[in-house]
Amino acid sequence: MTIRVTNPRQKAIEALETRLGYRFKDPALLELALTHASVAEGARRMADNERLEFLGDRVLGLMVAEALMEAFPDAEEGELSRRFHGMVSRDACAKIATDIGLGPALRLAAGETKSGGRNNPTILGDAMEALMAAVYKDGGYATVLACFQPLWQDAMKNSGDALHTNPKSFLQEWAAANGKSAPCYTIINRQGPDHAPIFTIEARVGQLAPETATGRSRQEAEKAAALRLIERENLK
């Protein structure tokens, strides 16, 4: 009797394609989108998803801009910009990546996996952009647009919400209204090369337990930490 060994990551990739609503004609392109740069560390140079991430950022930007122009025909440029930045933010992309189960499908180095890379918002956000680029290259603009629309519908609804577009201001206003000291943000860790640093920030306000988050800039990490604290405490 032959015993078939199931590859957990392959199952995760199949589930990812189902949730994405698209089956790749070129599986190698999907594999590239899911390959983090850590895989090549300490070994011969291997292709990773950074170039696809670069393209995906632009593809996503165009789709978001078009969607906002259509959804809010009377909105001025300032409002459109605020909504746009909320929809393309690292946090928004990471949330969608989590929703479709992208983390278990990632190809990471063992050390990155052990350190929680499959749940790292920066890694997830970057991979989500790379995935959009891969769909675009594999199926064209109409195909990636069809994937984008249902995935980003909640982000579109929340795009005018001050909580999601500017969580630091929201947290500061909540603290002032509730007699708390102003929020404090502390750098817990900084790693990576100078041209591509990763910051870990702790956000603290009053006597509430602190919350941490990572980002590719201090500002990005502070916003992510503030949002996590707000959502965890269900602040209004």
Side-chain angles (χ1 to χ4, degrees):
M1 181 177 67
T2 300
I3 299 176
R4 184 178 179 182
V5 178
T6 302
N7 184 329
R9 181 168 173 264
Q10 186 57 44
K11 289 187 65 176
I13 291 174
E14 292 170 1
L16 173 65
E17 286 186 292
T18 298
R19 296 188 185 103
L20 183 63
Y22 181 70
R23 295 288 176 185
F24 277 79
K25 298 186 288 289
D26 181 4
L29 192 56
L30 172 58
E31 181 70 7
L32 181 61
L34 298 174
T35 300
H36 185 251
S38 64
V39 173
E41 292 178 1
R44 60 184 176 84
R45 179 61 183 168
M46 298 173 62
D48 57 51
N49 64 7
E50 290 184 349
R51 285 172 57 84
L52 281 177
E53 176 201 340
F54 171 82
L55 175 61
D57 180 63
R58 278 70 185 171
V59 172
L60 179 60
L62 176 58
M63 293 190 296
V64 170
E66 285 187 331
L68 288 172
M69 291 281 286
E70 182 176 341
F72 306 102
D74 299 323
E76 297 182 353
E77 188 274 339
E79 179 186 346
L80 291 174
S81 293
R82 287 191 295 273
R83 291 179 181 273
F84 176 89
H85 290 300
M87 290 180 68
V88 301
S89 71
R90 192 70 56 204
D91 288 339
C93 290
K95 182 182 183 305
I96 293 165
T98 300
D99 291 343
I100 64 174
L102 195 153
L106 286 172
R107 185 184 181 195
L108 301 173
E112 195 69 62
T113 298
K114 290 179 181 178
S115 65
R118 296 188 189 280
N119 297 309
N120 184 310
T122 298
I123 292 176
L124 288 172
D126 291 347
M128 192 68 226
E129 291 178 343
L131 182 60
M132 289 292 97
V135 174
Y136 168 71
K137 288 178 69 66
D138 195 66
Y141 187 73
T143 298
V144 72
L145 185 61
C147 293
F148 159 81
Q149 289 170 334
L151 295 181
W152 262 264
Q153 60 182 354
D154 287 342
M156 174 76 79
K157 293 176 184 176
N158 294 327
S159 64
D161 183 353
L163 166 58
H164 292 85
T165 57
N166 198 341
K168 288 182 64 179
S169 292
F170 183 97
L171 186 59
Q172 183 168 341
E173 291 171 5
W174 177 88
N178 289 273
K180 310 291 185 182
S181 57
C184 177
Y185 300 92
T186 305
I187 297 177
I188 301 300
N189 189 30
R190 182 188 187 280
Q191 59 185 6
D194 289 340
H195 69 278
I198 299 295
F199 290 87
T200 300
I201 296 289
E202 178 186 84
R204 182 184 295 272
V205 58
Q207 298 303 311
L208 297 178
E211 189 61 79
T212 61
T214 61
R216 294 195 296 183
S217 69
R218 179 171 180 171
Q219 179 70 10
E220 180 179 288
E222 287 178 353
K223 289 177 64 177
L227 182 58
R228 285 187 176 185
L229 196 156
I230 291 165
E231 292 180 336
R232 188 196 71 203
E233 297 292 334
N234 194 28
L235 303 182
K236 303 294 184 181

